[in-house]
Amino acid sequence: MPELPEVETMVRGIQPAVEGRIVEAMTKCRCSCRPILVRPGWRRFVQRVRGSRVERVERLAKRVVLCLSTADRLVIEPRMTGLMLLSDPPDREHLRICWKLADSGGSNALWFWDRRGLGTVQLYSAHEFEADLCSGHLGPDALAITPADLKHRCNGSRRPIKSLLLDQRTIAGIGNLYASEILHVAGISPKTRSDSLSTTRVRRLHATIYDILEQAIRYEGSTLGDGTWRNALNKSGRYQNEHRVYAREGKVCRTCRRGRIRRIIQTQRSTFYCPVCQR
DNA sequence: ATTAATGTTCAGAA
DNA sequence: TTTCTGAACATTAA
């Protein structure tokens, strides 16, 4: 689930408890599930991390980045169900990794919890981080992209706009849920060919991307029916109450009160939209 | 009881 | 080059 708003909520939630602290220990939680991907292997990972200080916590697209005093970057990718927690995990069964943090004032713990186990935790040198994550395969952040850049990228693709918004090399941070919500508020059909959008419509799309993501951050993300998404203190998000189309197939549109929300499959993913408001 | 579907990413193929 | 498909995994709804 975690898309840009949820990952931003994780970062803001753990920042005060993590920045400036020393990593005293990093341990594998003994859960019955098979281990998640950690790179490099455990032994070297722990050796390189232990004793370093967390200078800053940052978000890179849908990843959480701990910038260490050694210049290494500890990168957590929650994928579908990963959470960064300071306390109270939803269950102990799916706790995966614990970092024990300390400073002169005492100690506390940071956890990675992941029900499906598709998340990854990787340690990059400054050089690897620059080469693998900063250049090339991630596009500009969805909150930082300019209207002109977005227009240029739309012009260069014949794919439907919904698929383009999900392509992290084109624009980074938007996932399946927010793509549907954004296109609805922007009044654009998800099936529209990207390169057929006028400058005016792309400008509106750009403004809507920013508005929806910012509002979702203020609401601390969307906790869907399965209840997986929680902030660092194990509290639900509230943006699900604001959804206008996502997971509302067959229901009357909240915007025009006339159309019924449709669900279609695009690039193997569900897309929700209102055929009346979105053209 | 099977089967399909779920928020993500990436390798590999078309 | 661009775009699509399936797999990684655990759980739930149909």
Side-chain angles (χ1 to χ4, degrees):
Chain A
M1 153 189 355
E3 304 181 29
L4 186 151
E6 288 77 20
V7 177
E8 182 63 27
T9 302
M10 290 180 195
V11 167
R12 294 184 187 185
I14 68 175
Q15 255 168 358
V18 172
E19 283 184 343
R21 298 235 167 185
I22 305 290
V23 181
E24 214 172 67
M26 171 173 166
T27 52
K28 229 183 280 195
C29 302
R30 44 175 189 76
C31 64
S32 55
C33 324
R34 86 181 46 173
I36 59 163
L37 175 67
V38 171
R39 191 197 63 93
W42 262 96
R43 199 177 216 115
R44 287 211 296 153
F45 200 122
V46 174
Q47 270 173 5
R48 269 169 64 182
V49 162
R50 187 189 289 143
S52 65
R53 197 160 66 102
V54 182
E55 305 283 8
R56 293 182 315 282
V57 182
E58 296 176 350
R59 178 182 60 77
L60 179 68
K62 300 177 192 174
R63 297 164 169 87
V64 176
V65 181
L66 308 190
C67 307
L68 305 180
S69 51
T70 56
D72 283 343
R73 311 272 170 139
L74 202 169
V75 179
I76 298 115
E77 194 179 340
R79 297 263 182 122
M80 297 282 263
T81 53
L83 300 178
M84 301 301 295
L85 295 164
L86 295 175
S87 64
D88 272 351
D91 63 50
R92 304 213 158 262
E93 180 63 19
H94 300 96
L95 275 180
R96 309 282 181 157
I97 295 173
C98 173
W99 291 273
K100 193 175 172 193
L101 306 168
D103 65 9
S104 51
S107 71
N108 63 343
L110 173 69
W111 282 288
F112 181 62
W113 180 96
D114 188 357
R115 179 152 53 75
R116 279 175 77 173
L118 297 173
T120 67
V121 176
Q122 304 194 53
L123 191 63
Y124 292 86
S125 68
H127 175 72
E128 287 170 333
F129 184 79
E130 176 65 34
D132 294 356
L133 293 179
C134 294
S135 52
H137 89 283
L138 276 182
D141 191 86
L143 290 179
I145 193 171
T146 63
D149 193 0
L150 184 60
K151 179 67 167 89
H152 180 72
R153 287 162 188 272
C154 287
N155 284 345
S157 174
R158 305 181 306 181
R159 307 156 77 185
I161 186 62
K162 161 68 160 33
S163 302
L164 196 72
L165 290 180
L166 290 183
D167 182 348
Q168 303 298 298
R169 288 165 313 195
T170 301
I171 179 171
I174 299 171
N176 200 45
L177 189 161
Y178 293 103
S180 283
E181 292 296 320
I182 287 164
L183 288 172
H184 176 74
V185 173
I188 297 170
S189 164
K191 293 183 275 195
T192 310
R193 253 177 67 156
S194 301
D195 60 5
S196 75
L197 287 165
S198 67
T199 302
T200 306
R201 303 192 88 200
V202 171
R203 200 178 298 125
R204 182 172 175 196
L205 174 62
H206 175 270
T208 308
I209 289 170
Y210 189 86
D211 290 347
I212 296 275
L213 295 178
E214 279 291 340
Q215 200 187 4
I217 292 169
R218 284 196 292 276
Y219 281 77
E220 299 191 291
S222 303
T223 301
L224 299 179
D226 69 359
T228 298
W229 162 245
R230 304 276 157 163
N231 70 14
L233 301 177
N234 193 22
K235 301 285 189 217
S236 298
R238 300 176 306 283
Y239 193 71
Q240 65 279 5
N241 303 319
E242 311 302 315
H243 292 175
R244 307 201 80 79
V245 291
Y246 187 80
R248 301 192 74 248
E249 182 180 16
K251 296 187 174 166
V252 173
C253 176
R254 291 180 68 181
T255 304
C256 67
R257 302 188 181 278
R258 299 179 49 200
R260 287 194 179 272
I261 304 306
R262 286 198 187 145
R263 182 173 82 104
I264 59 173
I265 302 295
Q266 292 181 296
T267 333
Q268 311 285 84
R269 321 290 305 280
S270 287
T271 298
F272 299 89
Y273 72 103
C274 169
V276 175
C277 325
Q278 295 172 255
R279 315 213 145 259

